[in-house]
Amino acid sequence: MAIHQYYLSPCNRQYSEKKQESGKDNPNGYSGYVCQGNTILTGRWHKGDENGKTQYEYAELELVDENGNKVIEPDLKIIVGEPVWQEHIKESSGKAFKSTDNQVIVGRRHYGDENGDTEYATATVTLKRGSNNPTVTLVDCYWSTPIKESDGKWFKADAGCVMVGRKHTGDENGDTMYMSGRLEIDCDEVNKEFFAYRVNNVEKEFKNLPQDGFLETFEHLMYFSNIAVEHIQGYTQYQHGTETYYIFTHNTAGDYGYIMITTETDCTNETIIRMPKGCNHPAGIQCVGKFLFVPCEQDEKCTILVYDLLNLKPMGKEKYIEEKPVKEMKYKHRAGCVGITDYVRNGKHYYLMVLGANEMYHVYRAEIKEDELKNDFASIDFEELNSFKLNSVEIEELQDDGSTKKETRKIDCQGIGLVTDAANGAVYMVAPITWKNYCDWLYLFKLDISTAKGDAVSATPILGRHMTSHGGLAGLDGIHFRWGAGIYVKANNRLMVLTTAQGTWPPHDADLKTNFWCANK
């Protein structure tokens, strides 16, 4: 990894004056704010309906190191370019605005009520250091959890982050999300795209997840008519710049399974990968950096395919592409789900992969040699460490009333996820399960890699939690961990738990209902 990394971080945050959102108090018929004097937007506040007041937070930028410490360089000049107004959008429709080309948001204006037009101004941030102009790149972008702004709730970008996107649905009482990101100097994209984001204090984060899921609908996703036996198998996400990749796997009764990838909730322009012949049952998935790991169930065997999400073929006239994986691994056991992360032990850097099926979990490890990794991911060699069985696990379960109760469970998941703790490097496994009566529970295990036991991995149960999904069909075919369950670690080190309904419905719209759970600050 890079020894030192530098960023442009907001400083001297200040507030604009409050203005009526509808613009009725403005002769020009709009409300808005444009940053002045080399500043950028970092937050927004609104209360009430379109006649309520809106206020913005803005800030200057300063150079900091990877630990957030200010770096003094007298010859360095930070320049926020001229604002460029982007095409107007109707935000009440749920259409998101995301800045492009490493630009940041420096202004916003809105006309009328919730159905009026909204425009955003963006600008390019550049550096000048004598004759050398270091590159500024927007990295580590992520969406906030939804808020109801009409209640007077502030959104403020996290420390070190700038505002680069916004998404609102419906009237003033609808949900709003903001996209934040960091401005990195001379970034090393190879390093960033090969490794997993960490979670700060995994056990605390797990406990802080909300019990209620947030509904998100994907429209016009590929429809599969044989819904009696074909369904969504896996769901995860990946973030590159301001683009969020929403990734689903779908099994079929034929010779081929499919991977469906979209960067918008309107999936009209989705990318569909038809998997190799015989891989008709792709299962629970997870990414490490830009690499998507897809297990394919094949009776008592499995194939693990790894895809580079930043080097996919463009969609042509066909309904799908046939993408060659960058790596293919075959094992003589089943795999209904995969978890993948990286960690460090005794000064060495490793990938850790867990393949699960029928309460059995097989553990594989690959040492990461960075020079080889940059040249060819296919050279990464996974060795099997051991396997462990979770067919009779005693675990504390957190009840809805706040009490805990010890239960003995069989942990057989459709999807799992591995998470590395940022504080101590420990690795955890998140395991979502649907029990009888369509009841969804989430379990956390700590994976113990003990030198006293060689390199064998065992799983220590930490906690189980009851989670509640919302929306979709009633019964088992609705939104449950039985279907496309998975996890994703956001760039702000927040854990996100994901799941889907059984499949797309109805046929003529092909909508897929999903839920996600993510803790607030």
Side-chain angles (χ1 to χ4, degrees):
M1 302 291 286
I3 297 175
H4 291 293
Q5 199 66 62
Y6 299 97
Y7 302 90
L8 295 181
S9 178
C11 63
N12 302 326
R13 299 194 185 205
Q14 302 177 61
Y15 302 114
S16 71
E17 64 176 313
K18 295 178 181 178
K19 294 183 179 180
Q20 193 174 31
E21 174 72 2
S22 65
K24 289 182 179 180
D25 57 356
N26 184 346
N28 294 319
Y30 65 83
S31 70
Y33 177 77
V34 183
C35 293
Q36 305 293 322
N38 233 29
T39 60
I40 49 89
L41 282 183
T42 54
R44 180 180 183 268
W45 171 89
H46 176 77
K47 188 171 184 179
D49 62 11
E50 66 271 13
N51 294 313
K53 296 292 186 178
T54 300
Q55 188 176 27
Y56 295 90
E57 182 187 75
Y58 62 95
E60 300 172 10
L61 292 169
E62 64 181 6
L63 183 67
V64 300
D65 64 16
E66 64 270 22
N67 297 314
N69 301 313
K70 184 175 181 178
V71 177
I72 305 296
E73 286 200 25
D75 296 334
L76 183 70
K77 292 183 178 180
I78 302 171
I79 302 170
V80 180
E82 290 295 318
V84 177
W85 288 101
Q86 305 299 321
E87 184 179 356
H88 63 79
I89 60 174
K90 182 179 177 181
E91 287 192 303
S92 61
S93 68
K95 184 175 178 59
F97 173 81
K98 296 176 289 186
S99 62
T100 58
D101 300 324
N102 295 313
Q103 295 188 332
V104 300
I105 295 178
V106 295
R108 178 182 181 272
R109 57 192 181 203
H110 178 77
Y111 300 79
D113 65 8
E114 67 270 12
N115 294 314
D117 289 331
T118 303
E119 296 171 317
Y120 287 90
T122 62
T124 300
V125 180
T126 56
L127 293 180
K128 289 192 179 297
R129 184 197 289 133
S131 59
N132 179 25
N133 299 328
T135 302
V136 180
T137 305
L138 183 63
V139 300
D140 298 344
C141 296
Y142 59 92
W143 286 107
S144 68
T145 51
I147 60 174
K148 185 178 177 182
E149 286 190 304
S150 60
D151 289 342
K153 294 182 179 178
W154 264 101
F155 166 79
K156 294 183 180 181
D158 291 336
C161 293
V162 298
M163 187 192 298
V164 293
R166 182 176 186 266
K167 180 180 181 180
H168 177 80
T169 303
D171 63 10
E172 66 272 8
N173 295 314
D175 290 307
T176 304
M177 297 191 296
Y178 287 87
M179 179 176 282
S180 303
R182 296 201 293 174
L183 295 171
E184 191 172 58
I185 313 304
D186 290 332
C187 67
D188 186 344
E189 285 295 328
V190 171
N191 280 335
K192 282 197 164 292
E193 298 298 352
F194 278 74
F195 305 118
Y197 287 117
R198 271 59 172 147
V199 168
N200 296 320
N201 194 333
V202 173
E203 294 184 28
K204 181 179 179 181
E205 182 80 359
F206 184 84
K207 293 177 182 178
N208 286 341
L209 288 170
Q211 182 175 1
D212 292 306
F214 179 80
L215 176 65
E216 189 165 38
T217 301
F218 292 85
E219 300 176 337
H220 314 304
L221 199 65
M222 183 179 179
Y223 176 67
F224 294 82
S225 59
N226 192 0
I227 59 174
V229 295
E230 300 177 346
H231 57 83
I232 297 285
Q233 285 279 150
Y235 176 27
T236 193
Q237 295 182 13
Y238 161 70
Q239 188 79 34
H240 179 69
T242 57
E243 293 289 0
T244 305
Y245 290 60
Y246 305 95
I247 309 161
F248 307 93
T249 55
H250 205 297
N251 73 340
T252 73
D255 292 330
Y256 305 94
Y258 293 86
I259 305 170
M260 300 173 289
I261 304 172
T262 179
T263 56
E264 303 286 349
T265 53
D266 181 344
C267 309
T268 305
N269 296 318
E270 67 181 315
T271 295
I272 300 170
I273 300 173
R274 190 175 81 168
M275 304 192 69
K277 188 173 183 179
C279 292
N280 69 333
H281 209 274
I285 53 179
Q286 190 177 3
C287 292
V288 58
K290 66 176 180 176
F291 295 102
L292 172 66
F293 280 63
V294 184
C296 300
E297 299 181 60
Q298 298 166 312
D299 296 324
E300 297 306 313
K301 300 181 295 182
C302 69
T303 299
I304 313 301
L305 301 176
V306 183
Y307 292 91
D308 183 343
L309 292 172
L310 295 186
N311 287 288
L312 299 177
K313 298 174 187 175
M315 288 288 286
K317 295 181 180 179
E318 300 292 332
K319 294 182 179 179
Y320 55 81
I321 59 174
E322 292 184 327
E323 182 72 23
K324 184 178 179 181
V326 296
K327 187 172 183 63
E328 181 175 328
M329 299 169 280
K330 294 181 179 293
Y331 299 111
K332 295 180 180 180
H333 58 74
R334 296 188 64 200
C337 51
V338 63
I340 179 75
T341 190
D342 65 281
Y343 72 103
V344 176
R345 284 291 183 279
N346 300 322
K348 292 185 178 182
H349 200 171
Y350 299 96
Y351 286 121
L352 189 72
M353 179 174 69
V354 175
L355 303 176
N358 296 342
E359 306 150 21
M360 181 66 74
Y361 297 84
H362 300 266
V363 186
Y364 294 84
R365 183 183 69 180
E367 184 176 351
I368 301 171
K369 298 178 181 179
E370 215 165 312
D371 290 339
E372 295 179 4
L373 186 66
K374 292 178 181 179
N375 294 327
D376 185 8
F377 188 84
S379 65
I380 297 296
D381 184 22
F382 282 88
E383 60 173 343
E384 185 169 12
L385 296 183
N386 68 302
S387 59
F388 56 85
K389 201 166 189 178
L390 299 179
N391 62 334
S392 181
V393 177
E394 271 200 3
I395 188 166
E396 293 282 350
E397 292 184 344
L398 182 64
Q399 307 300 307
D400 292 350
D401 61 4
S403 64
T404 59
K405 181 181 180 182
K406 186 165 286 189
E407 295 282 0
T408 300
R409 298 293 194 186
K410 294 181 179 181
I411 307 299
D412 181 7
C413 305
Q414 297 298 312
I416 58 172
L418 298 189
V419 186
T420 304
D421 197 299
N424 54 27
V427 177
Y428 292 81
M429 184 173 81
V430 181
I433 298 178
T434 300
W435 298 120
K436 294 179 180 179
N437 301 320
Y438 325 127
C439 192
D440 295 304
W441 282 75
L442 193 66
Y443 294 91
L444 182 67
F445 294 84
K446 185 177 181 180
L447 300 186
D448 300 309
I449 307 172
S450 171
T451 54
K453 302 176 184 177
D455 282 320
V457 175
S458 59
T460 299
I462 303 297
L463 186 66
R465 291 195 53 195
H466 177 217
M467 312 301 278
T468 305
S469 61
H470 295 278
L473 299 173
L476 184 59
D477 290 342
I479 301 170
H480 292 293
F481 291 150
R482 164 66 181 86
W483 309 115
I487 73 157
Y488 167 60
V489 179
K490 298 164 65 174
N492 64 342
N493 308 113
R494 291 292 183 186
L495 173 64
M496 179 180 280
V497 176
L498 311 161
T499 199
T500 73
Q502 187 258 9
T504 52
W505 187 261
H508 59 278
D509 286 331
D511 290 351
L512 178 65
K513 304 291 185 181
T514 74
N515 270 200
F516 67 82
W517 293 259
C518 188
N520 290 313
K521 296 180 184 180

